[in-house]
Amino acid sequence: MIIVMKQNAKKEQLDEVIGRIRDLGYEPHVIEGESRNVIGAVGDERGKSVLQSLESMAGVEDVVPILKPYKLASREVCPESSLVEIAPGVVIGGDELIVMAGPCSVESEEQIVFTAKAVKRAGAKVLRGGAFKPRTSPYSFQGMEEDGLKLLDLARQETGLPIVTEVVNPRDVELVARYSDVMQVGARNVQNFALLKMLGQLDKPILLKRGMATTIQEYLMSAEYILAEGNRRVILCERGIRTFETATRNTLDISAVPVLKEQTHLPVVIDPSHATGHAHLVPSMSYAAVAAGCDGLIIEVHPSPETAASDGPQSLRPAEFADMMMKLKQFAEVAGRSLPAVGGE
Ligand code: PEP
Ligand code: MN
């Protein structure tokens, strides 16, 4: 249920309503709006009609059911778009288009520091790099693990770029959280509910990738697992879904951007690298994603894609990335977004 408070409701009235929601066995989530506050009361769907009685409390304007199965993720509960702060001055969901870039996997100090400097020069605001890799084959490179996290930390110190890196296993949450600014949940883990619940207890942004066979509703239910535990800083990421098409690694569901923007207040990022699987397709899909209204992009960049330990064919070289960023600026402007500080190789 959504409890809409009156515009002039007092703080004590809000607190009383919160207390009453708890007494009824529901969890109150206050969303502060510009003109009024609303409270999302979430819990057991079966007895929710008891919450209707809150209508008679002082300061309450209305009590309305949340129609969608996801609650805290929905725009019904939070009509204003959420801004997620990744690091001081790096905010996603607002006017600025945030580009995250870096290699698929961290491979060496030289590789990650060189790439971090190059993507920063080209205008990226966040460094990506996998230290724990979810590989389809158990015989493929599994990542440098904690050594990789240490190298990411070094690259952050060298460049000041915050880091997004993947956590694959619930037992590594604490370790990855110690080094990262944003925790990534990969496509294969989108319905690992135990992992999502643990991430919901962190005070850290989560980049939640859409699964390759996850409907938008299922995807938002996964986001709800994180939100329901109290972590409001969820960033969504469409990275291509499985279809019958084989010309691309996956099929980029570009329409997911406007659909998600309609259904949820959470920021939406596009990953054109995993979506297409081919570096030469990455720029055009990035421009299309920006035109469709995404809040950011996450792009694989490698100094020598031919020798990359993972995902070389879809990785841009630093010069190609810099060139793409220059062109992206124009698309961003047309879409009403800013993309400041674009340098060049
Ligand atoms: C990645 O970002 O390196 C990755 C493994 O992505 P996905 O989970 O989307 O396949
Ligand atoms: Mn990859």
Side-chain angles (χ1 to χ4, degrees):
M1 288 287 200
I2 306 171
I3 295 87
V4 184
M5 299 300 291
K6 291 193 169 133
Q7 252 175 4
N8 57 359
K10 300 196 176 60
K11 167 91 175 62
E12 304 82 75
Q13 294 172 331
L14 182 76
D15 290 341
E16 274 199 34
V17 176
I18 289 172
R20 182 86 188 114
I21 292 172
R22 287 218 173 93
D23 291 346
L24 292 170
Y26 288 80
E27 193 50 41
H29 296 263
V30 180
I31 289 115
E32 287 175 16
E34 264 172 29
S35 60
R36 65 178 78 226
N37 292 325
V38 302
I39 312 170
V42 297
D44 193 338
E45 281 292 281
R46 289 164 297 181
K48 66 178 185 199
S49 56
V50 295
L51 292 162
Q52 211 68 52
S53 65
L54 298 170
E55 247 165 26
S56 58
M57 289 186 76
V60 174
E61 168 106 15
D62 207 359
V63 177
V64 284
I66 309 171
L67 300 174
K68 300 280 193 238
Y70 43 88
K71 313 290 175 196
L72 302 171
S74 84
R75 267 214 196 263
E76 288 176 79
V77 170
C78 185
E80 287 161 37
S81 294
S82 286
L83 302 178
V84 175
E85 184 172 74
I86 291 173
V90 183
V91 176
I92 190 157
D95 287 345
E96 190 179 338
L97 186 75
I98 298 294
V99 179
M100 313 181 192
C104 179
S105 312
V106 180
E107 296 164 11
S108 68
E109 176 177 337
E110 199 196 356
Q111 174 242 19
I112 193 68
V113 173
F114 178 87
T115 312
K117 287 181 177 166
V119 299
K120 183 181 178 180
R121 251 193 328 270
K125 286 290 154 73
V126 181
L127 174 66
R128 67 146 286 149
F132 290 90
K133 297 303 302 176
R135 304 306 300 278
T136 303
S137 164
Y139 308 117
S140 301
F141 175 59
Q142 303 285 310
M144 291 181 75
E145 306 190 346
E146 189 167 3
D147 288 342
L149 295 173
K150 288 183 178 152
L151 294 180
L152 283 167
D153 184 32
L154 193 73
R156 171 172 48 203
Q157 287 171 36
E158 295 269 330
T159 59
L161 291 180
I163 288 160
V164 55
T165 194
E166 180 165 353
V167 58
V168 176
N169 195 312
R171 77 168 174 246
D172 298 321
V173 165
E174 205 207 315
L175 174 68
V176 179
R178 241 185 286 140
Y179 290 92
S180 63
D181 298 283
V182 180
M183 309 269 278
Q184 178 175 322
V185 178
R188 292 153 190 83
N189 261 327
V190 68
Q191 289 189 318
N192 183 340
F193 302 123
L195 178 65
L196 300 180
K197 281 188 189 177
M198 283 181 79
L199 297 173
Q201 285 162 19
L202 297 183
D203 180 20
K204 206 172 267 288
I206 311 297
L207 181 81
L208 177 65
K209 289 204 163 187
R210 181 181 181 183
M212 44 193 108
T214 315
T215 65
I216 287 177
Q217 179 159 312
E218 287 163 344
Y219 184 29
L220 290 173
M221 295 305 286
S222 290
E224 190 79 10
Y225 265 91
I226 303 171
L227 298 166
E229 292 293 323
N231 187 349
R232 302 278 178 86
R233 294 197 281 164
V234 177
I235 303 163
L236 301 172
C237 178
E238 155 65 33
R239 45 75 75 207
I241 52 175
R242 275 273 161 86
T243 68
F244 52 81
E245 185 52 71
T246 55
T248 48
R249 184 175 178 185
N250 292 286
T251 298
L252 178 58
D253 181 7
I254 205 96
S255 58
V257 178
V259 173
L260 285 168
K261 284 276 159 196
E262 215 169 79
Q263 317 267 327
T264 179
H265 53 91
L266 299 171
V268 179
V269 164
I270 287 283
D271 174 346
S273 308
H274 292 88
T276 61
H278 300 284
H280 72 280
L281 300 176
V282 168
S284 52
M285 289 303 94
S286 301
Y287 308 146
V290 170
C294 71
D295 298 294
L297 295 165
I298 180 163
I299 295 175
E300 287 187 341
V301 177
H302 195 286
S304 77
E306 51 290 335
T307 61
S310 58
D311 287 349
Q314 68 194 32
S315 301
L316 294 176
R317 292 169 200 283
E320 293 167 338
F321 176 68
D323 185 47
M324 188 205 85
M325 289 292 278
M326 300 289 273
K327 297 202 181 98
L328 194 64
K329 199 169 163 63
Q330 296 170 38
F331 285 93
E333 273 161 22
V334 174
R337 303 280 183 150
S338 63
L339 185 60
V342 175
E345 268 300 284

